[in-house]
DNA sequence: GGCATATAGTTAGTTATGCAACTAATTTCA
DNA sequence: TGAAATTAGTTGCATAACTAACTATATGCC
């Protein structure tokens, strides 16, 4: 087996198991230490709604790279916590618009600060050019496979 | 809010949601299409055992970046599928050595080929220097947070 | 108009993850 | 030697992921 094939296997395990979960775990831990009951998955949905409120579930699928059942249940849980509401679209009755509650609006600055602190900590010693390379590689990989 | 903070938030969502899951999904799909019943998580455990057989569960935790309960249950499922066996260590009775069965040995070349094909497809148009940058950034992020 | 097709969302079933609390075996050290 | 601390692994609980199959609404086309 050619040597460079195993190198790609190693890259695979790096991508899937290491840095991303380390960041996710740390951010989750920081939420918990701050007394915030939300998961990072829930936060990632709120993050997109803070940028643009009242998106359809399908649009949240596209923006968070999740499938429809995953979004359905994330919205279920966010609704239980009274952070979002499903509002039926008037123009298309198949569509639910997912809208933030006041409680979710209030969470924004607190969690964004924690996320930024976490990313700052994660990216110590990483220069901006390398971050751009990572983003470009990931976009390319995503485009190659979808 | 300074602009560069949101940029880091975007990087966070890129790392967690996009390229890694795209690779994982594609590899899982390729396993399924080849009639292989294993999950990518199970494969990632086997991958380390193919490199070095009969590791302790703790060592598999370290190498796959998972916690102990996750490894316990992955090994449970791999044992049900008769791909590994737990063998109590003679020198330390707390330790289970996780060893490959013949069936798992036979899976190696087939799945490694699929993984390599998948990575080749994922990495079309990505040059080697950029892959090295990604690996270094991820290692750095991991080291920063652990 | 009406049937085929596509789209939005839900539900069921299996696997996986993280945390906390637990048992059992080993090591440390007073 | 023997109690305290550490290490390896398991179990219970909640959340989340993917697939497949499902309902309901909307669109396309004859």
């Amino acid at each position: 087996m050619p040597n460079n094939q195993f190198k790609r296997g190693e890259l695979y395990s790096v991508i899937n198991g290491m840095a991303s979960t380390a960041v996710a775990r740390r951010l989750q831990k920081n939420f918990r230490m701050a007394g915030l009951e939300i998961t990072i998955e829930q936060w990632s949905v709120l993050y997109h709604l803070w940028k643009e409120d009242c998106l359809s579930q399908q649009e949240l699928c596209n923006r968070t790279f999740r499938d429809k059942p995953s979004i359905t249940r994330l919205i279920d849980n966010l609704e239980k916590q009274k952070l979002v509401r499903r509002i039926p679209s008037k123009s298309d009755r198949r569509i639910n618009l997912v809208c933030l509650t006041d409680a979710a609006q209030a969470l924004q600055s607190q969690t964004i600060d924690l996320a930024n602190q976490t990313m700052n900590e994660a990216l110590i010693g990483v220069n901006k050019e390398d971050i751009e390379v990572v983003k470009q590689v990931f976009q390319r990989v995503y485009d190659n496979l979808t």
Side-chain angles (χ1 to χ4, degrees), chain A:
Chain A
M1 183 170 306
N3 189 34
N4 80 320
Q5 295 196 320
F6 263 113
K7 279 192 183 156
R8 293 196 162 183
E10 284 161 22
L11 176 62
Y12 165 82
S13 67
V14 165
I15 287 179
N16 275 291
M18 210 171 82
S20 63
T21 38
V23 174
R25 281 182 201 170
R26 173 60 58 96
L27 185 53
Q28 179 74 72
K29 189 176 166 186
N30 287 346
F31 284 163
R32 213 169 37 247
M33 289 196 307
L36 302 172
E37 295 290 320
I38 62 171
T39 67
I40 43 161
E41 291 84 4
Q42 291 169 358
W43 180 81
S44 78
V45 171
L46 295 178
Y47 178 81
H48 288 279
L49 292 174
W50 288 323
K51 289 202 277 191
E52 185 179 350
D53 200 4
C54 294
L55 298 171
S56 70
Q57 295 188 201
Q58 182 58 54
E59 189 55 35
L60 283 171
C61 292
N62 299 338
R63 299 195 188 190
T64 65
F65 305 102
R66 292 184 168 88
D67 65 0
K68 291 190 291 179
S70 296
I71 286 295
T72 292
R73 283 168 180 121
L74 276 173
I75 302 301
D76 287 347
N77 286 331
L78 284 167
E79 227 174 10
K80 276 186 209 157
Q81 296 173 260
K82 303 211 184 298
L83 292 171
V84 303
R85 280 169 303 161
R86 284 179 169 95
I87 299 180
S89 166
K90 287 173 186 169
S91 59
D92 185 337
R93 288 191 296 163
R94 294 172 302 181
I95 292 178
N96 289 333
L97 296 176
V98 180
C99 300
L100 295 164
T101 64
D102 292 348
Q105 296 284 3
L107 270 181
Q108 176 172 8
S109 63
Q110 198 176 2
T111 58
I112 291 283
D113 285 351
L114 280 174
N116 288 330
Q117 284 169 28
T118 305
M119 287 309 293
N120 286 338
E121 198 177 345
L123 294 176
I124 288 168
V126 180
N127 66 48
K128 288 191 178 188
E129 294 75 25
D130 288 352
I131 293 175
E132 282 310 306
V133 169
V134 171
K135 286 172 69 171
Q136 283 164 17
V137 168
F138 274 46
Q139 187 65 52
R140 182 72 200 222
V141 166
Y142 184 76
D143 292 343
N144 282 342
L145 295 182
T146 52

